[in-house]
Structures are given as C-alpha cells and as structure tokens.
Amino acid sequence: MSKRKIFDVALRKITMTRLGLYLITPPLYSLSIEPTSSCNLDCVMCYSKKEKNGFMSWSLFTKIIDEIKSRKDIGIGLNFSGESLLHPKFKDMLEYIASSGIQNISLNTNGLILTSKIAETFLNCSKGTMVFSIDGLEETYKKIRIGSNYEKVIRNIEFLLQRRKEKGISKPYAAVNLVKSNQSQQEINDYIAYWIDKVDYVSTVEQLGPDLRIVSKNDVISKQLQKGRMLCLWPWRYLAVCWDGRITLCCHDLEGRAILDVNANEGISKIWGGGEYNNVRWQHFKKDFSSLDLCRSCEAWVATYIPSKLNRLDNGIFVWRKGLSTYYSKRPESLGIKP
C-alpha cells in the first residue's frame, strides 16, 4: 500500500468519529462516471428501470476529469447503470482520462459491442480492470442476458486477451463476473473451470433486489445481519455522477433513489465536502435513515463487515471471499492481494 493510501485510510477513520466528521472531509477514493444510462440488453435480474435515459455531454465529462486529475491514484469506474460502450465518444473518454495522468480506469461491460478500436484504446490507456458481466455458460447465459449474443461476446473477450498477450503487458486486467440467481452450484463450478485459465480472475456475487435486500442469504451473511445495522462506508469513500450530472452516493442505486439535490456542474470537490453530503454522513453515523429511502431497506452495507477469507486450493487457485463477492484466481495480484 502506498503512503498516500495509508494516509487516506487513516484520515477516513478519523472522519468516521463524531469530532472528525465535524472537522474533516474524508478523501474521495472512488468515482463512477456514467457515460449513459441506456443499455442494449434486458437482463432478467436487472432492476435499473429509469424513465429517462441519455448520454453525458463532452463538456460535463471533461469538467469532471479536469477537476479530479490532481488525484492520480483515484479509481475511476467508467460505468454505472447503463452500457457505457453505447456512448459515441467512449474511446475519446478513455483517452482523455489517460491524458490527465489517471491510469486506474475500470469498466464493467456486457461486452457485446466491444470493438477492436475500443479494446486497443483500453489496453493503451488503463492499468485497471475490464470486467465482463457473464452470468453462466452458454445455455444459462442466453436465458439471463436477453438480447445478447454469447458467441460474439466470447470472441470479443478473446480478442482483448490476445491483443494484450501480443503487446506483452499484464495490465489492464480482464475478469468475468457472475451474479448468482438460479444457477446450480455445479453450473457455477463449471463456469469457474471454463474461465479460470483464460482471465485474471472470476468473481461471483450475491444478487440484490430493487430495495437492495440480498436475494439469497448464506449463513455468514445472515449471522452478520442479525447483529444489527452498522455504518455504511460508501458516503465516506465514493460518489457516482449520472449522465445528466446528478449525484448519487451509492454504487447500487441503479434506479436513482438516492439522488442528492446537487449537480456535478457545481464541482465534485464542493459537493463531496458540502452540506448535503455531510448531512448524509451524519445520518449514517447516527443510523437515522428516516429521510434516506434506499438506505432504509438496504442490506448491502453488510459487505464491509463480513470477514475476508483467503484460501489456496490444491490446484493453485486462490479463493478470496470478500463482502458479497467471491473471487477465484491463479493471479492473486490481479485482486490486489499478496498470498
């Protein structure tokens, strides 16, 4: 961990005390930027049903990057509720972020319209991760990812991996993610076996419903929830900018239920250290969710308090349980962990 990150972690802990919260603004650790809220698929478990969709303007996008570029280590997630590759200037967005000196650029995508030009640009600009949302092998995938083309997505991933190999680079990383729904454990095992030697890591994650309750709870999750509500860390480390400049404090807020009464045109730093965000932190600190509709029913906060567990299997696969996700990898450095 770098000295800057150690400092940020220490500072954040201070701001999570009553006096620290009053005196200090926590460092912004992660920022999601939504190029578009539109999507080209209709996945069965997706609860993002916004009435209005659109594309972020170039002027707003560059304003955001210009403001935050002094924080070279900030994590940029170039996606939120939609499929970012639909934005006509997505390639330009990648290049603009890279030109600012920020390299920790990550992307979650369904991969269907990943072109060779976008793949090349991502390889040239990012030291982060491209995560492909693939919720099973072919038969299961086609039942879940309505409107997609399994064979085409696989070809697009293979192209990205081949070009990375030809370039002789190890970053950006490539990963696949499975949201647990009705897959059997055998299906999940087969999925991991198929991908484990192809990508840097495979992840499986518990499914959340529209109210952010966990759809299917295992014993570890249930035990932690029974202890009672604890502090959610997102207001201390993260914000998301929607395509129209609106701000939400939660990465799971795909329906816009935690939108704040501010706009990115006012300035990210001003918003992050401003009255409304501070008020949200105070409400979380006091566990008063009476005016925070989405937070009131949310169970995703429990991810912070589930003990992480790392195992190495006999076949050389590292299994890392962290929060609501489980990661499988033969390259643990891609997960930022040292075995």
Side-chain angles (χ1 to χ4, degrees):
M1 185 181 292
S2 67
K3 291 182 179 179
R4 180 59 183 265
K5 287 186 177 180
I6 293 173
F7 175 79
D8 284 354
V9 170
L11 187 60
R12 187 175 295 110
K13 288 183 178 180
I14 293 172
T15 64
M16 295 177 74
T17 64
R18 183 175 295 276
L19 180 60
L21 183 56
Y22 180 76
L23 296 174
I24 305 171
T25 299
L28 178 59
Y29 177 79
S30 181
L31 172 70
S32 287
I33 299 175
E34 180 181 66
T36 179
S37 56
S38 298
C39 190
N40 52 346
L41 302 186
D42 187 20
C43 303
V44 296
M45 71 291 196
C46 182
Y47 55 85
S48 178
K49 307 295 181 185
K50 293 183 179 178
E51 296 182 359
K52 182 180 179 182
N53 290 306
F55 296 83
M56 181 172 285
S57 69
W58 182 250
S59 59
L60 175 57
F61 174 77
T62 55
K63 174 181 173 58
I64 295 169
I65 300 303
D66 289 347
E67 183 181 352
I68 66 170
K69 64 184 180 182
S70 61
R71 284 294 302 266
K72 306 300 183 188
D73 59 341
I74 193 170
I76 300 285
L78 201 51
N79 58 266
F80 191 58
S81 69
E83 173 49 59
S84 299
L85 300 184
L86 289 170
H87 198 291
K89 295 181 75 68
F90 184 78
K91 175 176 174 291
D92 299 322
M93 288 178 165
L94 286 173
E95 292 174 336
Y96 196 84
I97 296 174
S99 70
S100 74
I102 298 174
Q103 296 184 323
N104 188 9
I105 312 167
S106 293
L107 171 69
N108 282 60
T109 176
N110 59 50
L112 181 61
I113 56 174
L114 178 65
T115 64
S116 58
K117 288 185 178 179
I118 294 295
E120 291 281 355
T121 304
F122 193 81
L123 291 172
N124 292 335
C125 294
S126 173
K127 301 294 185 186
T129 307
M130 186 178 290
V131 181
F132 295 90
S133 298
I134 303 178
D135 301 295
L137 298 179
E138 186 170 5
E139 183 178 348
T140 299
Y141 178 91
K142 290 181 177 180
K143 294 177 182 177
I144 295 175
R145 296 270 159 182
I146 308 302
S148 190
N149 182 316
Y150 181 80
E151 296 82 3
K152 184 177 181 181
V153 172
I154 298 301
R155 289 197 301 271
N156 290 344
I157 298 174
E158 290 174 343
F159 175 82
L160 178 78
L161 294 170
Q162 180 60 32
R163 287 298 296 136
R164 189 180 69 172
K165 181 178 179 180
E166 291 169 356
K167 289 174 175 288
I169 57 177
S170 60
K171 294 181 180 180
Y173 298 122
V176 293
N177 180 67
L178 176 149
V179 176
K180 293 182 180 179
S181 52
N182 295 319
Q183 307 95 329
S184 67
Q185 187 57 53
Q186 185 58 53
E187 284 183 284
I188 294 174
N189 292 343
D190 292 342
Y191 174 88
I192 295 167
Y194 177 83
W195 285 108
I196 194 67
D197 289 316
K198 294 179 172 62
V199 296
D200 297 297
Y201 67 82
V202 180
S203 60
T204 63
V205 62
E206 302 298 332
Q207 183 182 352
L208 297 173
D211 57 359
L212 301 194
R213 296 188 184 277
I214 301 167
V215 174
S216 180
K217 302 176 180 67
N218 58 37
D219 291 341
V220 175
I221 293 173
S222 296
K223 183 178 180 180
Q224 190 62 54
L225 285 171
Q226 289 171 3
K227 295 179 180 179
R229 186 66 180 262
M230 298 179 72
L231 196 62
C232 176
L233 297 186
W234 285 116
W236 275 264
R237 57 183 293 151
Y238 170 91
L239 68 74
V241 184
C242 299
W243 67 271
D244 54 2
R246 294 182 303 160
I247 302 292
T248 179
L249 55 91
C250 178
C251 68
H252 302 299
D253 184 27
L254 305 187
E255 292 187 305
R257 292 171 58 195
I259 294 291
L260 304 183
D261 189 23
V262 290
N263 191 282
N265 285 294
E266 300 172 28
I268 299 299
S269 297
K270 181 179 178 181
I271 292 169
W272 182 246
E276 188 159 2
Y277 233 106
N278 282 331
N279 183 52
V280 168
R281 294 185 188 110
W282 273 113
Q283 288 174 287
H284 275 255
F285 185 81
K286 295 184 295 183
K287 300 179 184 178
D288 175 11
F289 306 104
S290 56
S291 62
L292 298 172
D293 177 55
L294 189 62
C295 300
R296 193 160 51 244
S297 61
C298 178
E299 292 178 337
W301 61 268
V302 77
T304 301
Y305 301 97
I306 296 174
S308 295
K309 185 177 182 181
L310 178 65
N311 292 318
R312 183 176 184 177
L313 306 182
D314 292 339
N315 57 8
I317 298 175
F318 289 87
V319 182
W320 187 34
R321 186 188 68 199
K322 180 177 173 58
L324 300 181
S325 298
T326 303
Y327 302 91
Y328 305 83
S329 178
K330 290 186 176 180
R331 295 184 60 196
E333 66 275 10
S334 66
L335 298 170
I337 58 176
K338 293 182 180 181

